[in-house]
Amino acid sequence: MSQPESAVADSRAGDRAGGTSPNGKESLSALAERHGLRRAIARPSLPVYLRQLWDRRHFVLTYATSRNVSKYSDSALGQLWQVLTPLLNAGVYFLMFGVILGQKKDLTNYTAFLITGVFVYSYTQRSITGGAKSISGNLSLIRALHFPRAALPLAYTIQEFQQLAISMGVLFVIVLVTGEPLTWAWLLIPFALLLQTIFNVGVSLLLARVGAFVRDMNQLLPFILRTWLYTSGVFYSIPAKMKGSPEWARFLLEFNPPSVFIDLMRHLLLRSYGHDLQVHQFPHSTLPQLWLYAGFWAAVALIGGFWYFWRAEERYGRG
Protein backbone atom coordinates (compact mmCIF):
# COMPACT_ATOMS: atom_id res chain seq x y z
CA MET A 1 0.00 0.00 0.00
CA SER A 2 1.35 3.43 -0.90
CA GLN A 3 1.99 6.10 1.76
CA PRO A 4 -1.06 8.31 0.95
CA GLU A 5 -3.37 5.30 0.87
CA SER A 6 -1.94 4.17 4.19
CA ALA A 7 -2.61 7.61 5.73
CA VAL A 8 -6.22 7.60 4.55
CA ALA A 9 -6.71 4.07 5.87
CA ASP A 10 -5.22 5.04 9.21
CA SER A 11 -7.48 8.10 9.38
CA ARG A 12 -10.60 6.07 8.65
CA ALA A 13 -9.58 3.47 11.19
CA GLY A 14 -9.05 6.26 13.69
CA ASP A 15 -12.53 7.62 12.99
CA ARG A 16 -13.96 4.22 13.85
CA ALA A 17 -11.77 3.83 16.90
CA GLY A 18 -12.84 7.16 18.38
CA GLY A 19 -10.14 9.70 17.60
CA THR A 20 -6.74 8.08 17.03
CA SER A 21 -5.46 5.87 14.25
CA PRO A 22 -3.65 2.54 14.86
CA ASN A 23 -0.28 4.25 14.45
CA GLY A 24 -1.09 6.71 17.22
CA LYS A 25 -1.78 9.70 14.98
CA GLU A 26 -4.83 11.91 15.50
CA SER A 27 -7.68 11.19 13.05
CA LEU A 28 -8.92 13.83 10.62
CA SER A 29 -12.34 14.05 12.28
CA ALA A 30 -10.78 14.53 15.72
CA LEU A 31 -8.39 17.13 14.31
CA ALA A 32 -11.28 19.04 12.70
CA GLU A 33 -13.34 18.90 15.89
CA ARG A 34 -10.40 20.14 17.98
CA HIS A 35 -10.09 23.22 15.74
CA GLY A 36 -13.83 23.98 15.71
CA LEU A 37 -14.48 22.74 12.16
CA ARG A 38 -17.66 20.96 11.14
CA ARG A 39 -19.17 19.43 8.03
CA ALA A 40 -20.13 22.04 5.45
CA ILE A 41 -23.58 20.52 4.94
CA ALA A 42 -24.28 19.70 8.58
CA ARG A 43 -27.79 20.48 9.80
CA PRO A 44 -27.69 23.36 12.32
CA SER A 45 -29.58 23.18 15.59
CA LEU A 46 -33.17 24.34 15.47
CA PRO A 47 -32.57 27.70 17.26
CA VAL A 48 -29.61 28.45 14.95
CA TYR A 49 -31.68 27.46 11.93
CA LEU A 50 -34.48 29.80 12.93
CA ARG A 51 -32.00 32.63 13.40
CA GLN A 52 -30.47 31.96 9.97
CA LEU A 53 -33.93 31.99 8.42
CA TRP A 54 -34.73 35.33 10.09
CA ASP A 55 -31.45 36.77 8.81
CA ARG A 56 -32.53 35.89 5.25
CA ARG A 57 -35.97 37.52 5.58
CA HIS A 58 -35.12 40.20 3.01
CA PHE A 59 -34.07 37.53 0.53
CA VAL A 60 -37.33 35.65 1.11
CA LEU A 61 -39.46 38.76 0.53
CA THR A 62 -37.48 39.87 -2.53
CA TYR A 63 -37.56 36.39 -4.05
CA ALA A 64 -41.33 36.13 -3.54
CA THR A 65 -41.97 39.58 -5.01
CA SER A 66 -39.78 38.98 -8.05
CA ARG A 67 -41.56 35.71 -8.78
CA ASN A 68 -44.89 37.48 -8.49
CA VAL A 69 -43.87 40.20 -10.94
CA SER A 70 -42.40 37.80 -13.49
CA LYS A 71 -45.25 35.28 -13.33
CA TYR A 72 -47.54 37.21 -15.70
CA SER A 73 -44.92 39.34 -17.44
CA ASP A 74 -45.43 37.62 -20.79
CA SER A 75 -49.23 37.99 -20.85
CA ALA A 76 -51.10 40.95 -22.30
CA LEU A 77 -53.16 41.62 -19.16
CA GLY A 78 -50.19 41.18 -16.83
CA GLN A 79 -50.97 41.32 -13.11
CA LEU A 80 -54.72 41.50 -13.78
CA TRP A 81 -54.65 37.71 -14.05
CA GLN A 82 -54.09 37.59 -10.29
CA VAL A 83 -57.71 38.69 -9.94
CA LEU A 84 -59.20 37.34 -13.18
CA THR A 85 -58.16 33.72 -12.57
CA PRO A 86 -60.10 33.19 -9.30
CA LEU A 87 -63.02 35.27 -10.64
CA LEU A 88 -63.28 33.14 -13.78
CA ASN A 89 -63.10 29.99 -11.66
CA ALA A 90 -65.86 31.37 -9.45
CA GLY A 91 -67.95 32.11 -12.55
CA VAL A 92 -67.64 28.53 -13.77
CA TYR A 93 -68.46 27.13 -10.33
CA PHE A 94 -71.47 29.46 -10.02
CA LEU A 95 -72.85 28.16 -13.30
CA MET A 96 -72.27 24.51 -12.43
CA PHE A 97 -73.16 24.42 -8.74
CA GLY A 98 -75.29 27.50 -8.22
CA VAL A 99 -77.47 27.38 -11.33
CA ILE A 100 -77.37 23.83 -12.71
CA LEU A 101 -77.15 21.92 -9.41
CA GLY A 102 -79.19 24.48 -7.44
CA GLN A 103 -76.90 24.87 -4.43
CA LYS A 104 -77.91 28.51 -3.99
CA LYS A 105 -81.46 27.75 -2.83
CA ASP A 106 -80.47 27.61 0.86
CA LEU A 107 -78.37 30.78 0.79
CA THR A 108 -79.42 34.40 0.51
CA ASN A 109 -76.19 35.69 -1.06
CA TYR A 110 -74.76 32.73 -2.94
CA THR A 111 -72.53 34.92 -5.13
CA ALA A 112 -70.52 36.30 -2.20
CA PHE A 113 -70.69 32.92 -0.46
CA LEU A 114 -69.13 31.15 -3.46
CA ILE A 115 -66.47 33.74 -4.28
CA THR A 116 -65.34 33.85 -0.65
CA GLY A 117 -64.91 30.08 -0.69
CA VAL A 118 -63.04 30.10 -4.01
CA PHE A 119 -60.62 32.86 -2.97
CA VAL A 120 -59.85 31.34 0.43
CA TYR A 121 -59.40 27.80 -0.88
CA SER A 122 -57.31 28.97 -3.86
CA TYR A 123 -54.88 30.61 -1.46
CA THR A 124 -54.21 27.32 0.32
CA GLN A 125 -54.22 25.32 -2.91
CA ARG A 126 -51.66 27.53 -4.66
CA SER A 127 -49.44 27.75 -1.58
CA ILE A 128 -49.32 23.98 -1.23
CA THR A 129 -48.73 23.41 -4.93
CA GLY A 130 -45.88 25.91 -5.02
CA GLY A 131 -44.37 24.64 -1.78
CA ALA A 132 -44.34 21.04 -3.00
CA LYS A 133 -42.17 22.08 -5.97
CA SER A 134 -40.04 24.65 -4.16
CA ILE A 135 -37.11 22.31 -3.51
CA SER A 136 -37.22 20.04 -6.57
CA GLY A 137 -37.69 23.05 -8.85
CA ASN A 138 -34.75 25.06 -7.48
CA LEU A 139 -31.93 22.53 -7.32
CA SER A 140 -29.48 24.78 -9.17
CA LEU A 141 -30.03 27.57 -6.62
CA ILE A 142 -29.73 25.14 -3.70
CA ARG A 143 -26.49 23.66 -4.98
CA ALA A 144 -24.95 27.04 -5.76
CA LEU A 145 -25.73 28.99 -2.57
CA HIS A 146 -25.80 28.26 1.14
CA PHE A 147 -29.00 29.40 2.86
CA PRO A 148 -31.75 27.80 4.97
CA ARG A 149 -33.76 25.71 2.53
CA ALA A 150 -36.98 26.58 4.37
CA ALA A 151 -36.68 30.02 2.78
CA LEU A 152 -37.96 28.58 -0.51
CA PRO A 153 -41.37 27.16 0.57
CA LEU A 154 -41.77 30.23 2.78
CA ALA A 155 -41.16 32.50 -0.21
CA TYR A 156 -43.74 30.62 -2.29
CA THR A 157 -46.37 31.12 0.42
CA ILE A 158 -45.55 34.82 0.67
CA GLN A 159 -45.89 35.08 -3.10
CA GLU A 160 -49.40 33.64 -2.89
CA PHE A 161 -50.24 35.93 0.03
CA GLN A 162 -49.30 38.93 -2.10
CA GLN A 163 -51.73 37.73 -4.75
CA LEU A 164 -54.40 37.11 -2.12
CA ALA A 165 -54.08 40.70 -0.86
CA ILE A 166 -55.17 41.94 -4.29
CA SER A 167 -57.95 39.35 -4.54
CA MET A 168 -59.30 40.28 -1.11
CA GLY A 169 -59.72 43.89 -2.24
CA VAL A 170 -61.90 42.64 -5.10
CA LEU A 171 -63.78 40.33 -2.74
CA PHE A 172 -64.61 43.19 -0.38
CA VAL A 173 -66.12 45.14 -3.27
CA ILE A 174 -68.19 42.14 -4.42
CA VAL A 175 -69.44 41.48 -0.89
CA LEU A 176 -70.58 45.10 -0.47
CA VAL A 177 -72.15 45.29 -3.94
CA THR A 178 -74.17 42.13 -3.31
CA GLY A 179 -75.81 43.73 -0.28
CA GLU A 180 -73.70 42.72 2.72
CA PRO A 181 -73.10 45.44 5.33
CA LEU A 182 -69.71 46.59 6.56
CA THR A 183 -69.46 45.34 10.16
CA TRP A 184 -66.96 45.40 13.03
CA ALA A 185 -66.27 41.72 12.37
CA TRP A 186 -64.26 42.76 9.31
CA LEU A 187 -61.53 43.97 11.67
CA LEU A 188 -60.86 40.32 12.56
CA ILE A 189 -60.22 39.29 8.94
CA PRO A 190 -56.42 39.93 9.13
CA PHE A 191 -56.18 37.55 12.09
CA ALA A 192 -58.08 34.86 10.19
CA LEU A 193 -55.75 35.29 7.20
CA LEU A 194 -52.74 35.15 9.53
CA LEU A 195 -53.83 31.78 10.90
CA GLN A 196 -54.45 30.49 7.38
CA THR A 197 -51.04 31.74 6.26
CA ILE A 198 -49.36 29.94 9.17
CA PHE A 199 -51.20 26.77 8.20
CA ASN A 200 -50.16 27.16 4.56
CA VAL A 201 -46.51 27.62 5.52
CA GLY A 202 -46.56 24.47 7.64
CA VAL A 203 -48.15 22.27 4.97
CA SER A 204 -45.87 23.76 2.29
CA LEU A 205 -42.80 22.86 4.35
CA LEU A 206 -44.05 19.33 4.86
CA LEU A 207 -44.80 18.76 1.18
CA ALA A 208 -41.57 20.49 0.12
CA ARG A 209 -39.62 17.69 1.78
CA VAL A 210 -41.91 15.01 0.36
CA GLY A 211 -41.71 16.55 -3.12
CA ALA A 212 -37.91 16.73 -2.92
CA PHE A 213 -37.54 12.97 -2.54
CA VAL A 214 -40.79 11.51 -3.93
CA ARG A 215 -40.98 12.61 -7.55
CA ASP A 216 -44.46 11.16 -8.02
CA MET A 217 -45.87 13.67 -5.52
CA ASN A 218 -46.22 16.32 -8.21
CA GLN A 219 -48.41 13.91 -10.19
CA LEU A 220 -50.56 12.91 -7.22
CA LEU A 221 -50.98 16.35 -5.68
CA PRO A 222 -53.58 17.69 -8.18
CA PHE A 223 -55.88 14.74 -7.41
CA ILE A 224 -55.43 15.23 -3.67
CA LEU A 225 -56.19 18.94 -3.90
CA ARG A 226 -59.20 18.34 -6.14
CA THR A 227 -60.63 15.92 -3.59
CA TRP A 228 -59.95 18.46 -0.85
CA LEU A 229 -61.77 21.07 -2.95
CA TYR A 230 -64.97 19.03 -3.18
CA THR A 231 -64.99 18.15 0.53
CA SER A 232 -64.32 21.66 1.87
CA GLY A 233 -67.68 23.35 1.29
CA VAL A 234 -66.42 25.73 -1.38
CA PHE A 235 -69.58 25.38 -3.52
CA TYR A 236 -72.10 24.36 -0.88
CA SER A 237 -72.96 24.90 2.76
CA ILE A 238 -71.75 21.93 4.79
CA PRO A 239 -74.40 22.43 7.53
CA ALA A 240 -77.15 22.51 4.89
CA LYS A 241 -75.78 19.56 2.93
CA MET A 242 -75.20 17.44 6.06
CA LYS A 243 -78.53 18.17 7.77
CA GLY A 244 -79.91 14.86 8.96
CA SER A 245 -76.54 13.13 8.61
CA PRO A 246 -74.65 11.63 11.57
CA GLU A 247 -73.06 14.24 13.82
CA TRP A 248 -69.58 12.75 13.41
CA ALA A 249 -69.77 13.00 9.61
CA ARG A 250 -70.72 16.67 9.73
CA PHE A 251 -67.98 17.34 12.28
CA LEU A 252 -65.32 15.70 10.11
CA LEU A 253 -66.23 17.90 7.14
CA GLU A 254 -66.38 21.08 9.23
CA PHE A 255 -63.12 20.24 11.07
CA ASN A 256 -61.34 19.79 7.72
CA PRO A 257 -58.71 22.63 7.63
CA PRO A 258 -59.83 24.41 4.41
CA SER A 259 -63.45 24.15 5.60
CA VAL A 260 -62.47 25.84 8.86
CA PHE A 261 -60.77 28.81 7.19
CA ILE A 262 -63.50 29.18 4.57
CA ASP A 263 -66.31 29.03 7.14
CA LEU A 264 -64.46 31.45 9.43
CA MET A 265 -64.10 34.00 6.62
CA ARG A 266 -67.77 33.64 5.65
CA HIS A 267 -68.89 34.28 9.21
CA LEU A 268 -66.75 37.42 9.36
CA LEU A 269 -67.69 38.78 5.93
CA LEU A 270 -71.29 37.71 5.37
CA ARG A 271 -74.00 38.60 7.85
CA SER A 272 -76.51 36.80 5.61
CA TYR A 273 -74.58 33.53 6.03
CA GLY A 274 -75.02 33.45 9.79
CA HIS A 275 -78.66 34.51 9.36
CA ASP A 276 -79.31 31.63 6.94
CA LEU A 277 -77.85 29.11 9.38
CA GLN A 278 -80.08 30.40 12.16
CA VAL A 279 -83.25 30.59 10.06
CA HIS A 280 -82.90 27.08 8.64
CA GLN A 281 -81.67 25.74 12.01
CA PHE A 282 -78.73 23.91 10.53
CA PRO A 283 -76.34 22.40 13.11
CA HIS A 284 -73.00 24.08 12.58
CA SER A 285 -69.74 25.09 14.23
CA THR A 286 -70.03 28.40 16.08
CA LEU A 287 -67.65 31.31 15.53
CA PRO A 288 -65.67 30.67 18.76
CA GLN A 289 -65.30 27.02 17.75
CA LEU A 290 -64.00 28.04 14.32
CA TRP A 291 -61.35 30.29 15.89
CA LEU A 292 -60.29 27.38 18.10
CA TYR A 293 -60.10 24.99 15.14
CA ALA A 294 -58.16 27.51 13.05
CA GLY A 295 -55.62 28.09 15.82
CA PHE A 296 -55.24 24.33 16.30
CA TRP A 297 -54.57 23.62 12.62
CA ALA A 298 -52.18 26.57 12.31
CA ALA A 299 -50.10 25.41 15.30
CA VAL A 300 -50.06 21.73 14.30
CA ALA A 301 -49.14 22.48 10.68
CA LEU A 302 -46.37 24.96 11.48
CA ILE A 303 -44.71 22.97 14.27
CA GLY A 304 -45.03 19.61 12.55
CA GLY A 305 -44.17 20.86 9.07
CA PHE A 306 -41.18 22.93 10.15
CA TRP A 307 -39.71 20.15 12.28
CA TYR A 308 -40.21 17.58 9.51
CA PHE A 309 -38.58 19.84 6.92
CA TRP A 310 -35.66 20.82 9.16
CA ARG A 311 -34.81 17.18 9.87
CA ALA A 312 -33.75 16.69 6.24
CA GLU A 313 -31.98 20.05 5.80
CA GLU A 314 -28.59 18.53 4.89
CA ARG A 315 -30.12 16.21 2.26
CA TYR A 316 -31.73 18.80 -0.02
CA GLY A 317 -29.94 19.19 -3.34
CA ARG A 318 -27.75 16.15 -2.94
CA GLY A 319 -27.54 13.36 -5.49
Side-chain angles (χ1 to χ4, degrees), residues 223-288:
F223 298 98
I224 296 173
L225 290 173
R226 195 173 305 143
T227 302
W228 224 4
L229 171 70
Y230 293 126
T231 57
S232 298
V234 175
F235 323 113
Y236 58 88
S237 170
I238 292 177
K241 183 61 64 177
M242 299 300 292
K243 188 177 183 180
S245 301
E247 182 70 16
W248 62 266
R250 180 190 63 82
F251 173 77
L252 285 180
L253 286 181
E254 290 191 335
F255 191 61
N256 170 32
S259 302
V260 169
F261 295 113
I262 291 171
D263 212 24
L264 180 58
M265 187 62 66
R266 284 170 175 163
H267 272 83
L268 296 177
L269 271 176
L270 312 177
R271 177 178 289 180
S272 62
Y273 179 57
H275 178 72
D276 289 335
L277 294 176
Q278 294 173 3
V279 168
H280 295 289
Q281 296 183 340
F282 296 133
H284 63 280
S285 299
T286 64
L287 190 57

Side-chain angles (χ1 to χ4, degrees), residues 3 18-19 38 98 110 125 132 175 199 217 250 259:
Q3 186 174 354
R38 62 182 180 86
Y110 185 74
Q125 180 185 40
V175 167
F199 172 80
M217 173 53 62
R250 180 190 63 82
S259 302

Side-chain angles (χ1 to χ4, degrees), residues 178-254:
T178 54
E180 298 291 339
L182 180 64
T183 66
W184 289 107
W186 286 37
L187 295 176
L188 298 176
I189 290 175
F191 299 99
L193 292 179
L194 175 62
L195 291 176
Q196 185 183 3
T197 300
I198 293 173
F199 172 80
N200 291 352
V201 169
V203 179
S204 297
L205 286 166
L206 187 150
L207 290 181
R209 173 174 172 177
V210 175
F213 305 116
V214 182
R215 301 303 181 184
D216 292 336
M217 173 53 62
N218 291 332
Q219 309 303 322
L220 292 173
L221 193 57
F223 298 98
I224 296 173
L225 290 173
R226 195 173 305 143
T227 302
W228 224 4
L229 171 70
Y230 293 126
T231 57
S232 298
V234 175
F235 323 113
Y236 58 88
S237 170
I238 292 177
K241 183 61 64 177
M242 299 300 292
K243 188 177 183 180
S245 301
E247 182 70 16
W248 62 266
R250 180 190 63 82
F251 173 77
L252 285 180
L253 286 181
E254 290 191 335

Side-chain angles (χ1 to χ4, degrees), residues 150-178:
L152 291 174
L154 180 58
Y156 276 70
T157 303
I158 292 177
Q159 175 192 352
E160 298 304 333
F161 181 80
Q162 291 174 340
Q163 294 194 30
L164 177 71
I166 299 175
S167 300
M168 290 302 293
V170 177
L171 176 60
F172 293 155
V173 173
I174 293 174
V175 167
L176 292 173
V177 168
T178 54

Side-chain angles (χ1 to χ4, degrees), residues 53-131:
L53 190 59
W54 173 253
D55 291 340
R56 270 73 171 189
R57 61 190 182 278
H58 300 297
F59 161 75
V60 172
L61 182 59
T62 303
Y63 184 73
T65 304
S66 62
R67 281 186 54 84
N68 221 351
V69 172
S70 63
K71 185 174 182 179
Y72 302 106
S73 59
D74 295 332
S75 60
L77 296 179
Q79 300 300 311
L80 283 176
W81 283 110
Q82 296 185 33
V83 177
L84 290 177
T85 299
L87 282 178
L88 290 174
N89 285 332
V92 173
Y93 296 145
F94 181 85
L95 176 64
M96 292 299 300
F97 292 91
V99 178
I100 298 178
L101 297 180
Q103 294 297 322
K104 64 179 182 178
K105 63 180 181 298
D106 295 319
L107 299 162
T108 302
N109 189 355
Y110 185 74
T111 300
F113 171 91
L114 176 63
I115 295 178
T116 300
V118 171
F119 278 24
V120 172
Y121 182 82
S122 296
Y123 176 37
T124 293
Q125 180 185 40
R126 292 196 306 263
S127 297
I128 292 175
T129 301

